[in-house]
Amino acid sequence: MKTFKKLLIKAIFFDLDDTLYDRSQFEINAYKFIDQKLCKKYDLKKGVIYKNLIKIKNLHNYNYRKLFEDTFKKIKVDPKKKNIFERNCLKYYREFVPNKLRLYPNTINVLKKINKENYFVGIITNGRVKKQKAKMKILNIEKYFNLIVYARNFGKKKEKPNPRSFNFVSQKLKIKPDEIIYIGDNPKTDYIGAKNAKVNFLRIKLGEYRKVIILKKNIKSVKSMKELSKLI
């Protein structure tokens, strides 16, 4: 792949989850938090809810919408309590705030290099705004970005792969879409979102989607932040 300079890139935007840090750090500890809160409430052995959450997640992914519903089916609780159980799971998942999150190796070096080269640097991320802001604060990387776009601010239906956030960036910076490159891990939300907005896309093969195959042969990719650094 050509370097960003040869592509005449003016702005570099990143995804957050599974692009700059391993999302499993957050999810695993959120599941433990749910288990801690609910096992005692439903008179279950400690770890039962956590183990089933992990098992079901592994069959699907972190965005599986029936995670709590399927978990309820696996545990021995009065069927009449299904709805309240699911609401409690969601409540504690949203309440959970981790004490620490670790960036992928070389992420800070890459961000410093990008800033040194005077690119406009930003993030476009899906998810509940409060939760995503908390992650940014814990990772302590806000200072490296000129603009952080929380796609949920445009409405849940306007999150990636909807091009709304990408179009917003292009209009705000007053640059052409092909002068922007978006770096992300998810072949569905990140790649399709960038493509819909006619923004350049670079896939970083990290996180739970790293082994997912994209049939398009011309999708450029890197396997690490160290490899990404060579393109800046």
Side-chain angles (χ1 to χ4, degrees):
M1 181 178 179
K2 293 180 181 179
T3 63
F4 294 171
K5 287 183 179 179
K6 287 184 178 179
L7 289 171
L8 303 179
I9 296 299
K10 293 181 180 179
I12 301 171
F13 275 74
F14 290 87
D15 171 47
L16 177 58
D17 299 301
D18 275 342
T19 295
L20 299 181
Y21 84 103
D22 186 343
R23 179 180 172 179
S24 67
Q25 299 172 73
F26 176 89
E27 298 294 333
I28 287 171
N29 285 298
Y31 298 166
K32 288 179 179 178
F33 182 69
I34 293 169
D35 183 88
Q36 176 188 333
K37 293 290 184 179
L38 296 184
C39 279
K40 188 174 182 179
K41 182 180 181 69
Y42 292 101
D43 196 27
L44 295 168
K45 185 179 178 182
K46 182 180 178 182
V48 168
I49 293 174
Y50 170 75
K51 288 176 182 177
N52 280 288
L53 285 168
I54 290 292
K55 188 181 294 184
I56 293 164
K57 189 284 300 179
N58 287 339
L59 290 173
H60 302 278
N61 57 52
Y62 288 123
N63 296 318
Y64 181 54
R65 295 188 176 186
K66 293 186 177 181
L67 176 63
F68 301 140
E69 180 183 339
D70 288 2
T71 297
F72 181 83
K73 293 175 183 177
K74 296 288 185 181
I75 59 177
K76 295 178 181 179
V77 175
D78 183 350
K80 294 179 182 178
K81 296 181 179 179
K82 176 179 178 292
N83 290 338
I84 188 65
F85 175 84
E86 291 176 29
R87 286 199 296 270
N88 279 328
C89 283
L90 185 59
K91 173 180 180 288
Y92 290 122
Y93 178 82
R94 289 176 172 174
E95 283 183 7
F96 174 71
V97 178
N99 294 320
K100 186 178 181 180
L101 293 171
R102 295 185 303 278
L103 294 163
Y104 282 124
N106 297 303
T107 297
I108 293 298
N109 292 337
V110 166
L111 294 176
K112 285 181 177 179
K113 186 175 182 180
I114 291 172
N115 277 271
K116 190 177 180 181
E117 295 293 333
N118 294 317
Y119 289 103
F120 190 96
V121 195
I123 279 183
I124 298 175
T125 180
N126 284 355
R128 290 172 63 85
V129 176
K130 184 178 179 181
K131 183 77 70 178
Q132 298 306 93
K133 283 185 175 182
K135 292 174 184 177
M136 288 294 297
K137 187 174 182 180
I138 293 164
L139 288 166
N140 192 28
I141 53 174
E142 294 144 302
K143 60 186 176 184
Y144 295 107
F145 298 96
N146 305 111
L147 177 64
I148 301 172
V149 179
Y150 298 100
R152 184 67 64 87
N153 280 330
F154 300 117
K156 194 169 184 178
K157 292 184 178 180
K158 297 294 185 180
E159 290 185 306
K160 301 175 294 180
N162 187 292
R164 179 68 178 87
S165 298
F166 298 96
N167 294 337
F168 167 77
V169 167
S170 179
Q171 292 163 10
K172 184 175 180 63
L173 302 186
K174 296 180 180 178
I175 60 177
K176 298 175 183 177
D178 63 6
E179 293 175 319
I180 302 167
I181 191 163
Y182 187 64
I183 301 166
D185 69 291
N186 192 318
K188 183 179 179 181
T189 56
D190 297 332
Y191 166 61
I192 295 177
K195 181 184 177 184
N196 287 343
K198 295 180 170 58
V199 165
N200 294 288
F201 178 71
L202 177 65
R203 182 184 181 189
I204 188 159
K205 292 184 176 181
L206 296 171
E208 71 170 341
Y209 295 103
R210 65 188 179 280
K211 294 181 180 180
V212 173
I213 297 173
I214 301 180
L215 297 178
K216 283 256 186 188
K217 294 182 180 179
N218 60 343
I219 304 300
K220 305 300 181 183
S221 65
V222 294
K223 294 181 180 179
S224 67
M225 283 291 171
K226 188 175 182 179
E227 190 176 346
L228 170 60
S229 182
K230 296 175 183 177
L231 299 175
I232 299 166

